[in-house]
Amino acid sequence: MTPDYDLFVIGGGINGTGIARDAQGRGLTVALAEMNDLASATSSASTKLFHGGLRYLEFFEFGLVKKALVEREVLLKNMPHISWPMRFVLPYHKDMRFEGDTPTSKLLTLFMPWMKGRRPAWLIRLGLFLYDTLGGREILPGTKTLDLARDPAGKAIKGKFARAYEYSDAWVEDARLVVLNARDAAERGATIMTRTKVVSAARVEDYWVIVTETDGVQATHTARALVNAGGPWVENVVREVARLNTSEGVRLVRGSHIVTRRLFDHDKSYFFQGEDGRIIFAIPYETDFTLIGTTDKEHEALSEKPVATDEEQDYLCAFASQYFDRPVTRDDVVWTYSGVRPLYDDGAKSATAATRDYVLSLDSNGAPLLNIFGGKITTYRKLAENALKTLTPLIGGGGNWTDKAPLPGGDFAVRDRDRLVADLERDFAFLDHAWALRLVKAYGTEARVILNGSKTAADLGRDFGATLTEAEVNWLMHKEYARTAEDIVWRRSKLGLRLSPDQIAALDAYMTA
């Protein structure tokens, strides 16, 4: 028999949707099943950065850092609406220390024992030099030194920090990245099934038979190859869905974040180094807020929903307060979120030291099964390419193509975003700047499609609050797989920070009517 699909993907996070998009664009037939909403787990709970991982240099992860640095600008060019350049300020003080178990710390202790684990300024500058040069740069400016007594970035932090280094990375709207990959895959012909659990997967002759369940109704699909992009559930898929044995596994590491009222009046982010060797970021967030994170805590069981514990919130507040002139307290916190990162279990002593690189494990004992372990959001596109490099000799398909293929709405130059916003304000006079900017950051060139020639705000239908209109909600339901208010206000957007519980309930009632 001829299977229904060339490739069936389990998991609607960034790795699963990235692979589905890449495979469909190579001429393969693809289906994807996600048991909840797209990006409902790890992929919407990141620190929302496309970055090389400056701190990974301390672990000598040069290959991982180089891959990620090269990818930053490829991704910026392909999605300038949901990703944009960002400058990071790294304040320096002589008491900053390495985490004790890093290779760099051990070398420094061996050759410079009088430093007692402290990070010397020259070593930080060397790391930033490597960060500037390993991946090459076209868009992002390089590192420079700041005098914090004169620079605006110094106003919010304590006076003991006289000097800082400023370097580049990039922001990304993580959940929207997932949705746009799924949308593009679907527009190219893929079948995307959300709220669809894979009940079983079994090899029959030379193909897979996959049973799914949606709203209590089961369906059977067949495919020549299976990709397990289950994220934190990757082992469960192998053992409980496909009923196979594996010696490979993931280390579940919880990363928690707090969102506070805005703590500083500029658009740069901070990279803070603790005296315990850990690092956190403090990032401008949704105009009026500051995002602080992340933690690295072992997460014992998938049955436990990840939440930012009181201990983690206190830790982040205390860490940030080591830097900010005004202490950060729990009273400043307006929202928290937490996600479980499924890191490949390489036997590292601590959660912080565990590798952030990915491992692709092919089981070709019959119809191919590719298991995805680990990975980080910055390298999702390269992970997808390498997954297809592994699979195409077995199931066919064309060559690489995604490096110069904008995601929906991203067909404009990075430098033109402000022009798009100004054009929207000019052509739709009822939009104020904040509304126009939000639409461009979410939808890019497709913002005009949603506005659809409207002359007044009333033309967009019901007003749900915080500039969310019926026209936008309908777009999200029909084009972006949104089914509930939570999908919209916490994943397709972050309007949950601005809407009241009553407004969110009214939105949910509209969507489920």
Side-chain angles (χ1 to χ4, degrees):
M1 63 164 284
T2 301
D4 302 325
Y5 304 102
D6 294 315
L7 189 65
F8 194 102
V9 180
I10 301 175
I14 189 54
N15 290 337
T17 57
I19 290 169
R21 177 191 184 227
D22 193 328
Q24 190 69 40
R26 294 172 188 254
L28 299 171
T29 54
V30 179
L32 178 147
E34 162 55 45
M35 62 181 176
N36 297 306
D37 183 30
L38 296 170
S40 57
T42 308
S43 294
S44 60
S46 75
T47 312
K48 309 181 195 312
L49 299 178
F50 281 150
H51 66 127
L54 181 60
R55 74 181 181 87
Y56 304 152
L57 292 175
E58 291 184 16
F59 295 89
F60 296 167
E61 296 249 24
F62 298 113
L64 172 64
V65 173
K66 182 174 182 177
K67 278 189 295 188
L69 289 172
V70 171
E71 271 297 282
R72 286 182 313 181
E73 298 209 1
V74 173
L75 298 172
L76 276 170
K77 292 173 183 175
N78 284 333
M79 53 195 79
H81 49 333
I82 63 168
S83 179
W84 49 88
M86 185 171 277
R87 295 290 279 174
F88 288 77
V89 175
L90 192 164
Y92 177 75
H93 189 266
K94 62 181 178 63
D95 291 331
M96 291 168 179
R97 297 178 183 274
F98 292 101
E99 188 184 21
D101 287 336
T102 71
T104 303
S105 176
K106 291 175 181 177
L107 279 177
L108 202 67
T109 300
L110 179 64
F111 292 106
M112 300 176 67
W114 60 90
M115 293 299 296
K116 298 181 179 179
R118 292 191 297 270
R119 283 182 169 104
W122 65 264
L123 191 60
I124 293 174
R125 193 65 187 85
L126 175 61
L128 288 166
F129 171 77
L130 291 173
Y131 206 70
D132 280 347
T133 56
L134 274 175
R137 293 177 290 105
E138 293 179 23
I139 299 171
L140 298 172
T143 298
K144 67 179 183 180
T145 302
L146 300 182
D147 177 354
L148 291 178
R150 298 175 179 272
D151 194 274
K155 291 182 179 179
I157 60 177
K158 293 179 177 178
K160 74 174 185 177
F161 299 102
R163 177 174 34 153
Y165 303 105
E166 182 181 302
Y167 70 95
S168 292
D169 265 323
W171 174 265
V172 63
E173 298 289 350
D174 53 3
R176 291 207 57 72
L177 174 66
V178 175
V179 170
L180 292 179
N181 270 275
R183 259 196 66 202
D184 199 52
E187 289 173 3
R188 296 173 186 274
T191 300
I192 305 295
M193 297 172 280
T194 63
R195 268 93 178 178
T196 298
K197 185 172 184 177
V198 176
V199 178
S200 66
R203 289 182 169 112
V204 176
E205 298 176 357
D206 59 349
Y207 58 90
W208 285 93
V209 175
I210 303 108
V211 178
T212 60
E213 185 173 302
T214 310
D215 297 330
V217 178
Q218 291 196 347
T220 301
H221 320 265
T222 54
R224 296 169 61 201
L226 185 67
V227 167
N228 171 14
W233 293 270
V234 61
E235 280 189 76
N236 297 49
V237 172
V238 176
R239 300 178 191 278
E240 298 175 18
V241 175
R243 299 192 177 281
L244 299 172
N245 293 320
T246 179
S247 60
E248 294 174 300
V250 290
R251 185 172 192 160
L252 301 178
V253 176
R254 186 176 68 252
S256 295
H257 299 76
I258 59 175
V259 175
T260 70
R261 300 176 183 88
R262 187 173 178 173
L263 300 177
F264 47 89
D265 295 323
H266 56 80
D267 61 358
K268 297 174 184 177
S269 296
Y270 290 102
F271 179 114
F272 292 155
Q273 307 168 88
E275 294 181 8
D276 62 352
R278 288 280 298 129
I279 67 101
I280 61 170
F281 295 99
I283 303 172
Y285 191 60
E286 297 292 319
T287 306
D288 299 317
F289 306 93
T290 299
L291 171 65
I292 299 175
T294 180
T295 60
D296 274 325
K297 290 287 187 181
E298 303 284 356
H299 193 75
E300 297 302 324
L302 281 172
S303 58
E304 298 176 12
K305 182 179 179 180
V307 296
T309 64
D310 289 343
E311 177 190 357
E312 287 174 300
Q313 293 183 53
D314 289 340
Y315 171 81
L316 291 172
C317 288
F319 198 146
S321 296
Q322 294 174 22
Y323 282 83
F324 285 119
D325 197 37
R326 185 180 73 78
V328 181
T329 71
R330 292 281 292 277
D331 290 339
D332 294 311
V333 177
V334 298
W335 182 52
T336 68
Y337 67 89
S338 187
V340 175
R341 298 190 290 272
L343 306 183
Y344 184 71
D345 192 353
D346 60 355
K349 289 184 179 179
S350 70
T352 303
T355 182
R356 266 56 177 173
D357 211 347
Y358 58 81
V359 172
L360 307 180
S361 178
L362 178 66
D363 178 348
S364 55
N365 184 26
L369 166 65
L370 186 66
N371 296 307
I372 314 295
F373 294 93
K376 59 197 294 280
I377 196 167
T378 311
T379 51
Y380 89 90
R381 193 193 65 83
K382 292 299 293 184
L383 183 154
E385 281 190 346
N386 287 326
L388 270 298
K389 181 180 179 181
T390 302
L391 289 170
T392 51
L394 304 174
I395 62 174
N400 295 344
W401 63 278
T402 58
D403 60 326
K404 292 182 174 62
L407 289 173
D411 50 338
F412 63 95
V414 174
R415 65 179 180 275
D416 287 342
R417 192 186 72 180
D418 289 345
R419 179 183 57 78
L420 259 66
V421 174
D423 288 350
L424 275 192
E425 290 183 72
R426 181 197 64 213
D427 296 342
F428 300 90
F430 57 89
L431 296 179
D432 62 19
H433 178 74
W435 191 355
L437 180 62
R438 183 182 74 78
L439 291 175
V440 168
K441 282 183 173 182
Y443 307 106
T445 55
E446 292 188 322
R448 287 182 174 273
V449 183
I450 296 172
L451 294 170
N452 193 28
S454 298
K455 300 300 181 184
T456 67
D459 292 341
L460 297 172
R462 184 173 171 180
D463 177 8
F464 290 99
T467 72
L468 181 66
T469 64
E470 187 175 351
E472 184 177 356
V473 170
N474 289 344
W475 171 276
L476 293 169
M477 292 176 68
H478 298 145
K479 290 279 193 176
E480 297 195 3
Y481 307 97
R483 291 262 299 270
T484 70
E486 181 183 352
D487 299 348
I488 288 180
V489 304
W490 292 120
R491 284 186 285 277
R492 307 307 186 275
S493 75
K494 292 296 179 286
L495 291 174
L497 290 167
R498 303 182 185 280
L499 292 169
S500 70
D502 286 346
Q503 288 174 313
I504 294 173
L507 171 63
D508 209 43
Y510 172 82
M511 295 177 69
T512 55

